[in-house]
Amino acid sequence: MSDIEPFVVPSFTPEQLALLKDKLSKPVFPNELEEDYGWEYGAPTWAVKPMATEWLENYDWEKPRAEMNRWKHYHTTIDGLKMHFVHEPSSNPDAIPIMLVHGWPSTFYEFHKVIEPLRDGANGGQAFHVVVPSLPGFGFSDPPKTRGYGVAKMAEILNSLMVKLGYSQYLLQGGDWGAIIGKYIATRYNTNCKAFHTGLPYCLPPLPTPRNLLFYPFKIAKFGASLLLGFDRVYGKGKLILNGATFANAELYNGCGYRAIQGTRPYTLAYGLTDSPLGLMAWMLEKFHEWTYHPPAKQDIQALPETISSEVFLTQVTLYWLTNTMSSSIRIYYECLRQKEMYKVVFPRVKIPVAVTAYAHDISRLPQDWLETATDLYQYSEYESGGHFPATEESELFTEDVQRFGKILHDKKIIQ
Amino acid sequence: MSIEPFEVPSISPERLALLKEKLKNAEYPNELEKDVGWTYGAPRWAVEPLVKAWLNDYNWETARAEMNRWHHYHVTIQGLRVHFIHEPSKSPDAIPLLLLNGWPSNFYEYHKVIEPLRDGANGGQAFHVVIPSLPGYGFSEAPKLTGHNVSKNGEIIHELMTAIGYNEYVTHGSDWGSMIGKWIAQERSAHCKAYHTVMPLCLPPLPTPTHLFSHPLKVLKFLASISLGFDTVYGKGHVRLKGRSFADVENDREAGYRGIQGTRPYTLAFGLTDSPVGLLAWMLEKFHNWTFHPSGSRDTVALPETISVDEFLTQVTIYWLTNTMSSSTRLYYEAFHDEKGMKDMMWNPVKIPTGVAYYPGEITKLAKEWLEASMNTVHYAEVSVGGHFPSLEVDELFVDDIQRFGKLIKTKKYIQ
């Protein structure tokens, strides 16, 4: 345990700040079509330019930095990599350990509104010992030095981190890559990971396996029917969002172009996203726009949803900029594609207790039937708002849902 | 339709200063510690020296003087200002030749062949040479509205030839020029009398009634190749066709750029426009991957020996100066969203005399039989060196091949 070193989120050096401001003050914008086509072609200048101006003129890193430094940060070396994490143990005697795992293009900061409520058992709900790591190659964690750091390697590192901190049993909450790595941990490290809470389960449908035939014959039949009659007819409109069920075939799902390029040529893409803060910010803005919940009337005419302030968004962007980690963060797509890891994630059944949240707008959604056959589903909630970053967009709903699941785990002694 | 002379401009002092400042303040991505060649994309060891050359050694004025040896013009067609080079020949036997480049290239791709083709070098066929910049490329205005797809480009380019005064002409194309040229060959066959390409795009001899009637053996052979494999049936290397579609990266790792450009060109464009390093790297990957390298050297060089640093940087500078990387990539979006149009172009035959020259570095290669089944192939050549940019890489061989095709067309009076 001796190599756990405290860490303080740093300020910009004067040189770093001058460089960022210099680059932001001399932007060259792309040419676009003369008519406004909303977000059809990607992030439009009318959305990017004001955000860039905001970043240059109004954004003050010191404010979120002070917020971040309210929590205790550390570095420790695991598998040769310096891993950053936040560790906020609870003073509540009933608290159970939780690891909150972010994805891309996010960071540990995604959880900034929920760390303290979860730690303190807000509203009389379950309390947690909160651990929030930065994935290798993201934020303040070192980037991997060699190839091969895909889902499997990251899962090993994250599980080792919890064990190293003394949490031999814990709940894992994850979205995006946190959900993918989380599911991998939930199926392969269930000695330590005792429960899994996510908004993005990656599961198979109810196929006619021996187990399913025995326990869920009706679900199998329903799935079969849905293949013939259509998913919406059988499961209800919007209950199944597969988006092509593809990792990187842009022909099946035109929202996965970023996975197509990040999964094959991360080096080439990285130059524009590293040398130009505008390039970086636009690349992230598209996701913070597209993957979040907007009231339908506002979807095409605003950049960020009302639930994410420009300060919160720019803090995420600045974390990537300051640490030069956009280039390393996107390489997880390459590693996962190259090793065909998605099969290893999707196929296995989760045998530990699972809680799934279906927010109003996320990149995929599965019917409860599928979750019940593929996991040990303890809790399922549907929400009328929130999207891909629920801890940021709907922090109270998120906290309450995690607490509800945590209480079951505590009371049933699933996590000691 | 008034045709206005145009001179390739200098770079204004302000813009040159901005370019140099951005190059000087370049921020580079982090990479893996070990050299992984080009497997993750363009590595820093390849990009950085070219960035330095661009900053310290490159002189636009040298290329500009060369470019201004030719006659440039602008003409407005369908509301867009289209740039073109027009070099009529002194030879009485000359025939009009339209040269169409693709992406990430521009008219400068032909800089070494304009004069030899115009003058009938080595006693070969002479041509009245016309080289347009596609709308959104080089010195042509960018399209203003959505929908500016391959057929729109074809319409405009044909109108250009008419505006110049050529009622009959021969079209040569590579990359997008190959597709646009094919459309012209199919839809403007009253005027385009012959079609030459280095990257023919057509379907194999599928078992349609027409094919079964005209080429039953070709159909059988193709069907056999589906199960036995292309190499077995057609001979090793005679068919190079990864991925069966436009943006299916799961099958073709090279297609990532099409995946992102075909779906979110706006978002991609910020990094490629604001950062000259981002732009250079994005183009370099193609100038590396798509060109012919003598065996063994591919992983350890940036450009092939056949393309000089100055040639490459001139192409990059044209994109930078005209701010056209953004508009040029939108052609992929328009084509990707023009499913019917693209399908028709692929399905429909080319009835006018067609010439194909295959260079070994070209990214796609189809069996000769396929070309013969779907196009009126009167000329077929396999060249021993050169790749996707043959007029840059092996200009003498390129000229020779075009001249032989031209002579054939002239002799057989396909064109007057």
Side-chain angles (χ1 to χ4, degrees):
Chain A
M1 280 262 225
S2 58
D3 77 329
I4 300 182
E5 294 161 16
F7 168 74
V8 169
V9 174
S11 295
F12 271 71
T13 66
E15 297 76 35
Q16 283 174 321
L17 191 57
L19 182 66
L20 173 60
K21 288 202 182 281
D22 186 63
K23 284 179 181 277
L24 284 172
S25 64
K26 293 165 178 134
V28 180
F29 284 93
N31 80 60
E32 292 182 347
L33 299 165
E34 285 191 359
E35 297 231 338
D36 178 8
Y37 294 101
W39 292 75
E40 275 175 43
Y41 284 74
T45 295
W46 62 251
V48 174
K49 195 165 186 182
M51 194 65 69
T53 307
E54 178 77 18
W55 198 8
L56 171 63
E57 294 179 359
N58 299 331
Y59 179 75
D60 179 13
W61 166 252
E62 287 301 310
K63 196 153 152 271
R65 178 176 172 259
E67 178 199 11
M68 287 185 247
N69 281 330
R70 287 206 308 257
W71 322 312
K72 303 226 169 14
H73 299 254
Y74 303 89
H75 274 118
T76 191
T77 302
I78 297 180
D79 193 23
L81 282 183
K82 219 169 82 176
M83 285 288 294
H84 158 257
F85 59 98
V86 169
H87 183 199
E88 284 292 311
S90 178
S91 51
N92 187 310
D94 295 320
I96 61 176
I98 188 171
M99 178 164 59
L100 303 172
V101 189
H102 68 83
W104 185 93
S106 189
T107 66
F108 69 92
Y109 191 72
E110 184 175 331
F111 300 106
H112 76 117
K113 286 188 261 207
V114 305
I115 292 176
E116 289 161 41
L118 288 172
R119 176 196 67 196
D120 300 335
N123 302 319
Q126 178 65 38
F128 300 86
H129 305 301
V130 180
V131 178
V132 192
S134 292
L135 290 174
F138 289 67
F140 298 109
S141 285
D142 270 3
K145 303 178 168 96
T146 59
R147 52 194 329 164
Y149 273 72
V151 175
K153 264 209 134 6
M154 297 225 180
E156 192 187 333
I157 289 174
L158 290 183
N159 188 64
S160 301
L161 175 66
M162 289 303 270
V163 170
K164 190 171 188 180
L165 293 176
Y167 298 129
S168 56
Q169 297 190 347
Y170 61 90
L171 161 63
L172 192 156
Q173 199 298 321
D176 196 79
W177 282 107
I180 298 171
I181 296 166
K183 187 173 180 215
Y184 192 94
I185 291 175
T187 51
R188 287 179 180 65
Y189 292 93
N190 49 19
T191 319
N192 302 118
C193 177
K194 289 307 198 185
F196 177 44
H197 181 290
T198 183
L200 264 192
Y202 287 87
C203 305
L204 292 177
L207 298 170
T209 61
R211 186 178 190 278
N212 286 346
L213 284 163
L214 184 61
F215 292 111
Y216 305 112
F218 182 64
K219 292 196 204 302
I220 298 174
K222 207 168 163 186
F223 173 61
S226 74
L227 290 175
L228 292 165
L229 301 172
F231 294 130
D232 281 359
R233 281 261 287 280
V234 171
Y235 290 115
K237 197 160 163 46
K239 296 286 187 185
L240 175 62
I241 299 168
L242 281 180
N243 279 327
T246 179
F247 188 78
N249 183 344
E251 314 233 351
L252 289 181
Y253 170 43
N254 93 2
C256 77
Y258 77 103
R259 297 202 289 264
I261 188 65
Q262 292 175 188
T264 53
R265 300 288 154 81
Y267 271 17
T268 314
L269 177 67
Y271 292 91
L273 305 184
T274 302
D275 186 47
S276 163
L278 198 66
L280 169 68
M281 187 265 282
W283 198 249
M284 293 176 67
L285 183 62
E286 190 202 271
K287 301 314 178 198
F288 276 83
H289 170 267
E290 191 178 325
W291 293 350
T292 51
Y293 174 73
H294 303 249
K298 293 215 178 156
Q299 174 90 29
D300 286 335
I301 57 175
Q302 62 187 16
L304 294 171
E306 290 109 354
T307 48
I308 301 187
S309 70
S310 51
E311 186 181 65
V312 166
F313 169 67
L314 288 173
T315 298
Q316 292 269 38
V317 181
T318 304
L319 278 163
Y320 274 93
W321 176 263
L322 187 62
T323 55
N324 192 352
T325 44
M326 180 50 68
S327 46
S328 43
S329 69
I330 58 181
R331 288 201 286 272
I332 192 177
Y333 292 83
Y334 181 96
E335 303 298 351
C336 180
L337 180 62
R338 187 161 165 272
Q339 296 170 80
K340 296 189 172 31
E341 287 185 306
M342 287 309 286
Y343 297 108
K344 298 181 202 155
V345 170
V346 173
F347 272 68
R349 197 171 67 83
V350 184
K351 296 177 187 162
I352 58 175
V354 168
V356 173
T357 46
Y359 289 94
H361 181 90
D362 209 334
I363 54 180
S364 80
R365 179 191 278 213
L366 303 179
Q368 201 169 335
D369 263 13
W370 296 25
L371 304 174
E372 282 166 0
T373 51
T375 75
D376 189 6
L377 190 68
Y378 269 50
Q379 181 174 298
Y380 176 77
S381 339
E382 283 190 10
Y383 294 99
E384 301 286 300
S385 61
H388 194 69
F389 305 107
T392 310
E393 297 173 69
E394 294 290 351
S395 56
E396 287 175 18
L397 294 177
F398 178 91
T399 301
E400 189 274 332
D401 200 281
V402 172
Q403 284 182 313
R404 228 175 341 116
F405 185 49
K407 183 127 178 60
I408 297 172
L409 301 172
H410 171 267
D411 292 349
K412 297 201 173 197
K413 299 206 197 313
I414 292 166
I415 294 182
Q416 309 285 356
Chain B
M1 250 188 242
S2 68
I3 300 183
E4 299 155 19
F6 169 74
E7 213 187 86
V8 174
S10 294
I11 307 179
S12 73
E14 300 79 37
R15 292 199 71 192
L16 189 58
L18 180 64
L19 172 62
K20 287 198 185 280
E21 192 185 338
K22 283 179 180 278
L23 291 172
K24 214 155 106 241
N25 290 334
E27 287 280 294
Y28 285 92
N30 77 62
E31 293 183 346
L32 298 168
E33 283 189 358
K34 196 162 149 271
D35 177 12
V36 287
W38 289 77
T39 53
Y40 283 64
R44 183 173 172 171
W45 60 253
V47 172
E48 192 166 2
L50 286 167
V51 170
K52 294 210 157 74
W54 199 8
L55 169 64
N56 297 319
D57 306 325
Y58 179 73
N59 186 358
W60 168 253
E61 289 299 313
T62 312
R64 178 175 171 258
E66 179 200 9
M67 288 186 256
N68 281 332
R69 287 207 308 257
W70 320 311
H71 296 89
H72 300 255
Y73 305 90
H74 274 113
V75 65
T76 300
I77 296 177
Q78 294 195 29
L80 290 175
R81 248 175 115 231
V82 180
H83 158 256
F84 63 98
I85 292 167
H86 182 203
E87 284 293 306
S89 176
K90 294 190 171 64
S91 163
D93 295 321
I95 55 183
L97 174 66
L98 169 64
L99 297 177
L100 296 177
N101 61 272
W103 184 94
S105 188
N106 44 54
F107 65 88
Y108 192 73
E109 184 176 331
Y110 301 108
H111 79 110
K112 289 185 282 216
V113 306
I114 294 176
E115 290 160 38
L117 288 171
R118 177 195 65 196
D119 302 335
N122 302 319
Q125 177 65 43
F127 301 89
H128 305 302
V129 180
V130 178
I131 310 176
S133 292
L134 292 174
Y137 287 66
F139 295 107
S140 283
E141 203 176 2
K144 298 173 182 162
L145 302 174
T146 191
H148 194 103
N149 52 24
V150 171
S151 38
K152 198 99 198 90
N153 274 326
E155 279 174 28
I156 288 177
I157 299 301
H158 167 73
E159 274 184 57
L160 172 73
M161 292 304 272
T162 308
I164 297 173
Y166 292 128
N167 191 43
E168 292 190 350
Y169 56 90
V170 173
T171 301
H172 161 83
S174 70
D175 195 82
W176 278 115
S178 169
M179 206 70 223
I180 294 164
K182 190 178 182 194
W183 184 90
I184 292 174
Q186 289 165 333
E187 303 296 329
R188 296 290 182 267
S189 49
H191 303 278
C192 176
K193 294 317 229 174
Y195 168 56
H196 181 282
T197 178
V198 297
M199 197 179 94
L201 294 159
C202 64
L203 294 179
L206 298 167
T208 62
T210 317
H211 283 150
L212 285 165
F213 183 71
S214 318
H215 328 273
L217 287 179
K218 289 193 171 50
V219 173
L220 285 176
K221 216 167 154 183
F222 168 64
L223 292 174
S225 75
I226 297 177
S227 40
L228 298 175
F230 293 138
D231 282 356
T232 310
V233 171
Y234 292 110
K236 195 157 165 45
H238 283 256
V239 176
R240 266 198 313 274
L241 188 64
K242 275 183 288 180
R244 293 169 296 278
S245 59
F246 187 76
D248 183 3
V249 148
E250 317 231 348
N251 278 308
D252 178 6
R253 296 289 196 259
E254 184 64 43
Y257 77 104
R258 295 199 293 267
I260 187 65
Q261 291 176 187
T263 56
R264 301 289 155 82
Y266 271 16
T267 315
L268 177 68
F270 291 92
L272 303 185
T273 302
D274 187 47
S275 165
V277 178
L279 170 69
L280 186 153
W282 198 249
M283 292 177 66
L284 179 64
E285 192 204 271
K286 303 315 178 194
F287 277 83
H288 171 271
N289 286 4
W290 295 352
T291 48
F292 180 77
H293 301 249
S295 53
S297 72
R298 179 179 281 268
D299 284 340
T300 56
V301 300
L303 296 168
E305 291 132 3
T306 48
I307 299 185
S308 73
V309 170
D310 276 348
E311 282 178 299
F312 171 68
L313 290 177
T314 297
Q315 296 222 266
V316 180
T317 304
I318 292 172
Y319 272 95
W320 173 262
L321 188 61
T322 55
N323 193 349
T324 45
M325 180 48 67
S326 47
S327 43
S328 67
T329 59
R330 288 200 287 274
L331 182 52
Y332 288 83
Y333 180 99
E334 303 299 353
F336 192 55
H337 287 78
D338 178 24
E339 217 183 300
K340 177 161 196 317
M342 297 304 287
K343 195 158 143 248
D344 285 346
M345 269 179 266
M346 289 300 283
W347 262 107
N348 295 343
V350 176
K351 298 192 175 140
I352 61 173
T354 302
V356 172
Y358 265 130
Y359 294 84
E362 184 53 80
I363 45 186
T364 303
K365 189 175 182 187
L366 309 177
K368 189 175 173 205
E369 312 191 357
W370 300 9
L371 308 176
E372 287 166 348
S374 141
M375 307 192 292
N376 181 5
T377 310
V378 303
H379 166 97
Y380 179 84
E382 293 207 7
V383 187
S384 56
V385 286
H388 191 71
F389 306 104
S391 57
L392 273 182
E393 297 174 66
V394 286
D395 52 290
E396 289 175 17
L397 296 176
F398 178 85
V399 167
D400 176 69
D401 178 74
I402 299 265
Q403 284 181 322
R404 275 189 294 115
F405 180 65
K407 189 144 181 75
L408 176 68
I409 300 301
K410 182 88 183 166
T411 311
K412 299 220 166 180
K413 300 208 196 307
Y414 291 128
I415 195 169
Q416 306 304 335

